[in-house]
Amino acid sequence: MSESSRDTARGAGWGPSERGVYQQLMPDHVEKLSWLNPRVLWAARNGVLASWFGDPTGRTRSRWVARRAAAGAPADKVIRRDVPERFSFMVIGDTGEGDDSQYAVVPGFLKTGQDTDFAVIASDVIYPVGSADDYGTKFFRPYHDYPAPIFAIPGNHDWYEDLGGFMRVFCAGTPPLDPEPTPRPLTRAWWRALLWHRARPADEERLAAARKSRSAPGQRAVQPGPYWAIDAGPVRIVGIDTGLLGTIDAEQGAWLREVSRGPEPKILITGSPLYVDGEHHPCAIEGGGTVDDIVREPDHHYVAAIGGDIHNYQRYPVDVDGRTIQYVVAGGGGAFMHATHTIPRVSVANVTEREFRCYPLRGDSLAFYSRLYGRRLRLRRFFALSESEATAVVAERLGIEPVRAPGPETRVSRRTRLVASLLGAGGRPDRTSRFRLPVHKIYSQLFSPGSATYSPPFFKCFLRLDVSPEAVRLRCFAATGNRAQEIDPPVEDEVTIPLS
């Protein structure tokens, strides 16, 4: 087994290394996506509009579901996969930026997933706005050689064009919805409709040509809608659509309660994680209750809840009335990396630093961001921290033993501490400065990289789940963009989840 970031800096992708062959899979011309570009931000405005003027996704989702039902989709929205009692599937989240950081994941994903029965994309299949015209280079091309079906749940970016592209690709070519009546003038709904970003007509020839990249009979997958369940072997996998704002409508909530009943063990896959960055986000259901209430109900037998949206890996083994539910963040499949070094010392739901896992390690995250901003600000000598310095200062701030020990001559200087503070590095709850929390929140919202135009290591990841009647073996594999990790993807985390 290859070295991981928990073993050595080289295993994390630092140091001299041969770049991977992933670039050979990419188109000749790749348009770099930058979240600092005003045009991109304006195109992706619907999330902000929904928070200001009311969220219409519940009503739109209901119309999509009704259209799929009229076309013959099963009323219970359950996909029944004829697989053995022992089978495997992949989970990869937040994939579709279409540049180096997405394609760098592909070689390891294909190697690790060649013998799996299907894959699930957890959130944000296509950036920036889920356009049908982007599926060629951001879905069909990168996963051309994955031999099994790929199912998906939409993320907020897939909703920025009202889910039209997603429904065309994953739900049997569902045609666009008819326009809704114009709202009464000067109401909140009228202002929202006036400013709303709407999809342009899809290029049907372009989409048809792209579909040929995944046209083999074994690759085909048809979903009953944007939310669904898969019965496979001894487990039921339940996928929910959390829309633009990380909530679900009453209709989907009623379906979730119904499909969660029964004795079979269940795994939830959601666009918005329920535990993330040391905080609990239970996901409200319109009309009352939360998704996590359903997950925690003993009679529903959930053993794990996996969410996308945040572009890294985190795992929280939460004790719920004497049984452990694994809450996982798995959004590191292609988009720019969200920092882990901003996560404060974990203490949530009786999960502490001892049980918590993340990838990249916080020290690697801080080193990555310090170099990124050192280049951007042209202050490399001041900003750039070695991975050893970053590991040491994160351990000091959190008051923990580092997972990977820094070099014996590493010391934490004033400069190191200042850079860590400027980049929002997390700390201990009992030593929190009154200024740290605002810095952390501002950093996480405004100072993410904004684009993925940098070089390896990328710190991307994907999951493989091996299911048997007795247990689920969940492994997080790394993708750095370096050849060594392509040839033998390292395991960054592993847990066995009992099904009894």
Side-chain angles (χ1 to χ4, degrees):
M1 183 180 293
S2 62
E3 293 179 326
S4 74
S5 70
R6 303 179 73 85
D7 300 317
T8 66
R10 190 174 188 84
W14 297 115
S17 183
E18 178 187 358
R19 180 171 286 205
V21 300
Y22 68 86
Q23 290 182 314
Q24 299 174 17
L25 307 173
M26 298 174 67
D28 293 335
H29 173 71
V30 176
E31 184 177 350
K32 298 294 186 181
L33 174 62
S34 173
W35 294 103
L36 304 177
N37 185 330
R39 288 186 180 181
V40 174
L41 292 174
W42 177 242
R45 63 189 178 271
N46 286 359
V48 175
L49 295 176
S51 66
W52 288 352
F53 301 114
D55 184 2
T57 55
R59 185 175 64 253
T60 304
R61 184 188 295 115
S62 183
R63 295 173 68 205
W64 283 123
V65 169
R67 175 161 288 190
R68 288 292 294 131
D76 61 3
K77 302 173 184 59
V78 177
I79 303 162
R80 291 168 174 88
R81 296 286 299 169
D82 184 14
V83 300
E85 283 191 326
R86 299 177 185 273
F87 76 99
S88 303
F89 68 100
M90 307 292 285
V91 175
I92 184 170
D94 298 82
T95 53
E97 283 203 354
D99 50 20
D100 290 60
S101 65
Q102 177 179 8
Y103 279 84
V105 182
V106 173
F109 176 83
L110 294 178
K111 181 167 185 174
T112 305
Q114 275 299 309
D115 63 339
T116 54
D117 291 276
F118 58 90
V120 176
I121 296 179
S123 181
D124 291 339
V125 183
I126 300 295
Y127 292 96
V129 294
S131 171
D133 290 346
D134 286 337
Y135 270 85
T137 56
K138 298 179 181 181
F139 175 73
F140 289 107
R141 184 183 182 112
Y143 311 118
H144 164 76
D145 290 325
Y146 179 68
I150 299 177
F151 302 96
I153 55 169
N156 57 315
H157 287 268
D158 300 303
W159 268 101
Y160 287 162
E161 287 197 348
D162 290 335
L163 217 61
F166 183 96
M167 297 298 292
R168 295 282 290 143
V169 171
F170 292 103
C171 298
T174 307
L177 294 173
D178 297 328
E180 289 196 285
T182 303
R184 192 158 45 91
L186 301 180
T187 61
R188 293 175 71 206
W190 182 85
W191 283 110
R192 183 183 65 219
L194 179 67
L195 298 171
W196 201 252
H197 170 80
R198 303 191 184 281
R200 61 188 179 191
D203 184 332
E204 295 298 334
E205 290 186 5
R206 181 176 177 180
L207 184 57
R211 286 183 186 277
K212 294 178 182 179
S213 294
R214 285 188 50 81
S215 59
Q219 294 177 312
R220 293 173 187 164
V222 176
Q223 298 179 191
Y227 56 92
W228 42 258
I230 299 174
D231 280 350
V235 300
R236 171 170 282 185
I237 301 154
V238 180
I240 62 171
D241 167 20
T242 55
L244 280 171
L245 301 181
T247 60
I248 68 173
D249 60 280
E251 180 181 322
Q252 184 180 181
W255 170 85
L256 177 61
R257 291 184 177 96
E258 181 63 30
V259 83
S260 297
R261 295 191 176 102
E264 65 267 63
K266 298 174 186 71
I267 298 169
L268 181 74
I269 300 182
T270 167
S272 299
L274 303 182
Y275 281 88
V276 60
D277 294 346
E279 299 175 349
H280 184 209
H281 298 269
C283 186
I285 299 174
E286 181 187 23
T290 69
V291 169
D292 203 28
D293 292 338
I294 297 172
V295 170
R296 287 167 174 260
E297 170 58 48
D299 291 341
H300 293 164
H301 302 281
Y302 277 92
V303 298
I306 303 171
D309 189 50
I310 302 301
H311 308 164
N312 53 45
Y313 172 82
Q314 301 172 43
R315 180 169 64 84
Y316 301 82
V318 176
D319 180 86
V320 179
D321 299 327
R323 60 195 176 95
T324 299
I325 300 177
Q326 300 289 343
Y327 290 87
V328 176
V329 178
F336 69 83
M337 185 191 85
H338 279 135
T340 58
H341 68 265
T342 59
I343 303 172
R345 181 168 172 166
V346 170
S347 180
V348 59
N350 293 320
V351 177
T352 67
E353 281 292 323
R354 183 182 296 274
E355 298 86 25
F356 171 69
R357 295 290 183 272
C358 69
Y359 176 78
L361 298 177
R362 290 183 178 96
D364 290 329
S365 171
L366 178 58
F368 173 92
Y369 272 70
S370 72
R371 297 178 189 199
L372 175 68
Y373 280 100
R375 289 194 298 269
R376 286 192 174 175
L377 300 174
R378 299 182 180 179
L379 294 171
R380 295 191 189 192
R381 293 186 62 183
F382 172 75
F383 252 98
L385 303 179
S386 70
E387 65 276 9
S388 195
E389 289 175 318
T391 297
V393 73
V394 165
E396 178 186 87
R397 291 176 70 91
L398 295 178
I400 61 173
E401 287 292 323
V403 174
R404 188 181 73 234
E409 298 181 359
T410 302
R411 68 183 188 88
V412 179
S413 65
R414 288 183 179 180
R415 179 186 71 91
T416 306
R417 292 188 181 100
L418 178 58
V419 170
S421 294
L422 290 172
L423 293 180
R428 295 173 55 175
D430 58 341
R431 294 187 181 178
T432 299
S433 162
R434 63 190 178 95
F435 298 108
R436 192 204 65 79
L437 184 59
V439 169
H440 166 63
K441 295 296 185 183
I442 291 170
Y443 176 87
S444 63
Q445 294 177 23
L446 298 180
F447 294 101
S448 288
S451 63
T453 57
Y454 34 82
S455 301
F458 293 112
F459 296 110
K460 302 287 95 187
C461 60
F462 54 89
L463 306 184
R464 174 176 170 134
L465 290 88
D466 300 299
V467 181
S468 73
E470 299 80 28
V472 175
R473 182 190 185 195
L474 183 152
R475 285 176 288 172
C476 172
F477 290 87
T480 66
N482 290 328
R483 184 63 176 145
Q485 284 81 39
E486 281 186 353
I487 294 171
D488 189 8
V491 176
E492 291 292 337
D493 186 36
E494 178 174 348
V495 62
T496 298
I497 306 170
L499 293 184
S500 59

